[in-house]
Amino acid sequence: MQQFIDQQKQFVEFSSSVNSFQMKAKHVFVITTYKEQWLLTSHKKRGLEFPGGKVEDFETLAEAAKREVYEETGGIVGELTEIGEYMVHDQHHPFVKRVYYADIQTLHEKECYFETNGPVKVAENILDMVQEPEYSFIMKDEILPIAIEIIKQKKLLKSSL
């Protein structure tokens, strides 16, 4: 279990296992690649980030991950791999988020990307980029480097991203 304080001054715990917390995951965060590039979404308020969101009552976490990726980027998920979970100990609304990695098979252009401006492809090392002001606060804490290290250890990346 890894622990840190995030950009919002919240205590966060990350586990590379799923179902590690007493609270169930009701949110998803999906680290995505497409054609050897990182696939982000441009959130209208927060900036550049990986797709994610809340799980609807009628769906599983994996279904929510695939839906969120499609809604926010137009991407069709190929293989979806669990990376872990993290709990944000928000004083008023604590929550657990499941982290996935997905390589996108197809990218469809859409008229509406819901709360985002659609997909953004990044070929550079994402960890070198996330401190730039156009990136969301969600990208700036320890979750992303931890998750990318696990993705690399599992040899899920098809390129040297």
Side-chain angles (χ1 to χ4, degrees):
M1 188 85 61
Q2 298 181 36
Q3 303 173 337
F4 60 91
I5 304 296
D6 71 8
Q7 293 283 315
Q8 305 297 310
K9 309 288 188 241
Q10 306 283 354
F11 177 65
V12 178
E13 293 179 282
F14 177 88
S15 172
S16 57
S17 300
V18 297
N19 302 316
S20 296
F21 303 102
Q22 290 183 344
M23 181 180 291
K24 286 186 161 193
K26 302 235 179 195
H27 297 79
V28 294
F29 179 66
V30 189
I31 299 171
T32 49
T33 54
Y34 175 67
K35 294 189 175 181
E36 300 185 12
Q37 294 181 320
W38 300 108
L39 180 65
L40 307 175
T41 189
S42 178
H43 191 277
K44 291 178 181 176
K45 293 180 181 173
R46 294 188 299 257
L48 298 176
E49 61 188 27
F50 284 110
K54 294 179 183 171
V55 177
E56 302 293 342
D57 290 336
F58 59 86
E59 64 188 353
T60 66
L61 288 159
E63 290 168 341
K66 291 175 182 180
R67 176 185 52 77
E68 289 287 352
V69 168
Y70 183 74
E71 285 179 358
E72 296 180 5
T73 69
I76 304 296
V77 172
E79 190 172 334
L80 186 67
T81 305
E82 292 175 339
I83 302 302
E85 289 182 344
Y86 64 96
M87 181 168 185
V88 177
H89 293 268
D90 182 285
Q91 186 175 3
H92 304 288
H93 302 287
F95 62 91
V96 176
K97 195 175 277 197
R98 176 81 47 93
V99 180
Y100 289 97
Y101 168 73
D103 188 46
I104 303 305
Q105 289 180 333
T106 308
L107 194 59
H108 294 157
E109 189 170 325
K110 298 171 43 179
E111 288 186 26
C112 174
Y113 294 95
F114 292 84
E115 68 271 6
T116 78
N117 294 316
V120 175
K121 293 177 249 173
V122 176
E124 294 88 9
N125 179 342
I126 196 72
L127 297 177
D128 291 342
M129 307 294 295
V130 296
Q131 296 309 319
E132 298 296 325
E134 64 268 20
Y135 282 81
S136 166
F137 73 89
I138 293 170
M139 302 285 283
K140 298 178 190 275
D141 63 29
E142 297 302 311
I143 296 301
L144 190 57
I146 292 168
I148 288 176
E149 183 58 33
I150 293 168
I151 290 165
K152 287 179 178 180
Q153 287 173 1
K154 291 185 174 196
K155 299 183 183 343
L156 296 171
L157 292 177
K158 295 180 180 170
S159 69
S160 62
L161 285 174

